Amino acid sequence: MSHPAPTSAPRAILFDLDGTLADTAPDLAAAVNLLRSARGLDATPYELLRPTASAGARGMIGASFGLTPQDAGFDELKNGFFDNYEAAIAVHSTLFDGVPELLAGLAAAGLAWGIVTNKPSRFTDPLLPQIGLAHAGCVVSGDTTPHAKPHPAPLLEAARRLGLPPEACWYVGDDLRDIQAGQAAGMATVACAWGYCGATEPAGWNADHLLPTPQSLLQLVQTVLAARAANALAA
């Protein structure tokens, strides 16, 4: 399920947040369904909302109300959605199975790790401590730089904060724009099939790797680091 390993072993792994490290879809879905109940509408089924969770308000409101940011009424719904989500941001959100072990394994291997998300800092800052991610080496939110993903600026800022060149980092995400941002930043990219993945098939994103579980990512990193160590001994 993975392409051949990049020749450059990483010094840091950067992660998307929603759908990559954390399963936040239940709380996002609850926030948009509160909008529907306030209007006397039935809840949108969770199975329709979950795949759009990585797109935040745009995805949730699009799936639940059929509106885009260009439509009249979208901004009112977005503001209500934000208020609902902020009031109950970590009721059901959890890390994906294997993520704590993945992060511990990266630390044991001497690698830094950080978070680059399009989620605004209004939500990122209070959420991370509640789901066990307060120890990230850096956090770049959707409003940290003038541009959000798929622009490379947030990833380049994360590398700068870690004191590393972009090519020393891998970027891991569950959306096409994550892979596009990583490629534009000059980083090796990993598409995580355990995430939400949106409406497109991750096999078509041209990521350097497509992996099924957080454990498989840790195994890949350990394999690449071992190969680097072996090459250094043989030199």
Side-chain angles (χ1 to χ4, degrees), residues 84-204:
N84 290 343
Y85 183 53
E86 187 173 39
I89 200 168
V91 178
H92 301 292
S93 294
T94 61
L95 300 183
F96 283 106
D97 288 345
V99 164
E101 293 81 4
L102 165 62
L103 299 179
L106 296 180
L111 299 186
W113 66 273
I115 295 170
V116 183
T117 174
N118 276 359
K119 188 189 277 308
S121 56
R122 169 184 175 184
F123 309 117
T124 308
D125 291 347
L127 174 63
L128 296 183
Q130 296 187 62
I131 58 174
L133 293 177
H135 59 305
C138 69
V139 178
V140 176
S141 298
D143 51 359
T144 301
T145 66
H147 304 282
K149 298 175 295 182
H151 197 281
L155 278 70
L156 297 174
E157 174 63 14
R160 186 194 69 80
R161 292 185 179 194
L162 292 175
L164 296 172
E167 61 269 20
C169 305
W170 291 8
Y171 189 55
V172 184
D174 73 313
D175 192 273
L176 173 59
R177 69 172 174 268
D178 296 324
I179 305 308
Q180 293 170 332
Q183 291 168 340
M187 299 179 182
T189 56
V190 178
C192 58
W194 67 84
Y196 304 138
C197 296
T200 60
E201 172 53 53

